[in-house]
Amino acid sequence: MKHATLRQLKVFEAVARLSSYSRAAEELHLTQPAVSTQIRKLEGHAGLPLFEQLGRKIFLTAAGTGLLHHSHLIIRQFEEAEAAMTHFKGLSGGRVVVRPSLDFRGVATQNIIVGNTVMYGATSGEAFFAGVAGERF
């Protein structure tokens, strides 16, 4: 397991949770062959099969069940570390207020004034928007 990656563990966790390579690929925005490749590489690092296939269904092996437990712990530790680093960057809290300038001549509630990345990385805080939040500009 020395060279296993966080990405491989996240792919493994998704396949195990969804019991499907295809659904995991869809959720992770990957192709099904990319998911299969990541699982094959992780199985190579583990030296054991992690899934067995019976017909069209896949099941965790005993080794897969053991690795899933550790994968949850590892993924959670990375998320906690990311949150801690975000805190040190000063992005962990506070208040964000976004509103049109006083010179704006349109109707705020009919114009996109903020995108989906405004609160990216924030772990706490408040946000207030006077207008429409859009997914993309």
Side-chain angles (χ1 to χ4, degrees), residues 39-137:
I39 296 299
R40 258 194 319 277
K41 286 181 179 180
L42 188 58
E43 287 177 328
H45 295 311
L48 296 163
L50 302 173
F51 295 99
E52 61 182 344
Q53 188 164 355
L54 298 172
R56 293 185 51 117
K57 296 188 178 199
I58 61 168
F59 301 91
L60 284 169
T61 63
T65 300
L67 183 59
L68 183 59
H69 170 74
H70 292 287
S71 294
H72 287 142
L73 297 173
I74 292 166
I75 292 166
R76 185 170 49 237
Q77 284 184 327
F78 266 89
E79 289 169 350
E80 289 171 2
E82 185 176 35
M85 294 303 104
T86 299
H87 176 75
F88 288 117
K89 291 177 187 175
L91 301 174
S92 63
R95 177 177 279 194
V96 175
V97 178
V98 179
R99 63 170 178 75
S101 74
L102 297 175
D103 298 331
F104 181 67
R105 297 288 178 230
V107 179
T109 57
Q110 295 176 353
N111 291 275
I112 294 176
I113 62 163
V114 64
N116 63 336
T117 59
V118 167
M119 298 298 288
Y120 179 79
T123 57
S124 66
E126 299 173 299
F128 301 94
F129 310 110
V132 178
E135 186 173 332
R136 293 195 172 100
F137 289 119

